[in-house]
Amino acid sequence: QRPLTERGRQEARAAGRRLWALWGDVDLVLHSPAVRTTQTWRAMAAELPALAPVQVWPAPGIYEAAVPDLLAALADVPEESRRVLLVGHAPGVPALVGHLTGEYPQGWPTGTLGVMEPPQDLGWADLHEGCGRRTG
């Protein structure tokens, strides 16, 4: 229930700008329903082109989630969505990045992006250990 601080809003806006520079358009957003992640997403969104409301999914299963829970949330993503933003929490999100890429982050400050590219021929439900490549 804790709100994002002014510093957090600034970090989120900066993360949105970095994401746009690295990635461009976002197809779908999954975010924890926690106040701070919802506010983080909204601040990031201010730096990205507008998304249709149907493309933003609050995902209760990613609050305090471990890697299996995050993989389960991603398994529900439609195959046509290739650029998916997951706004969640540490330690689950950095653990997911490490699991999928084999590159385990050392520390995960607030506002960190873990941009990952899965193989084009792999569906969301088929993500597995070591399948991706971290690009940002």
Side-chain angles (χ1 to χ4, degrees), residues 87-113:
V87 184
H89 309 271
V93 172
L96 177 67
V97 169
H99 176 80
L100 294 175
T101 67
E103 296 178 34
Y104 288 87
Q106 297 299 311
W108 194 267
T110 58
T112 298
L113 292 176

Side-chain angles (χ1 to χ4, degrees), residues 13-57:
R13 286 190 297 270
R17 288 189 298 274
R18 285 192 314 274
L19 183 63
W20 177 248
L22 282 169
W23 220 14
D25 289 328
V26 173
D27 297 325
L28 180 93
V29 177
L30 295 174
H31 71 84
S32 162
V35 170
R36 290 168 72 95
T37 51
T38 301
Q39 291 174 339
T40 296
W41 159 241
R42 288 180 183 149
M44 289 179 76
E47 304 297 329
L48 299 169
L51 298 174
V54 64
Q55 295 173 298
V56 179
W57 297 358

Side-chain angles (χ1 to χ4, degrees), residues 80-93:
E80 62 272 10
S81 296
R82 296 309 300 164
R83 293 182 175 171
V84 175
L85 176 62
L86 173 67
V87 184
H89 309 271
V93 172

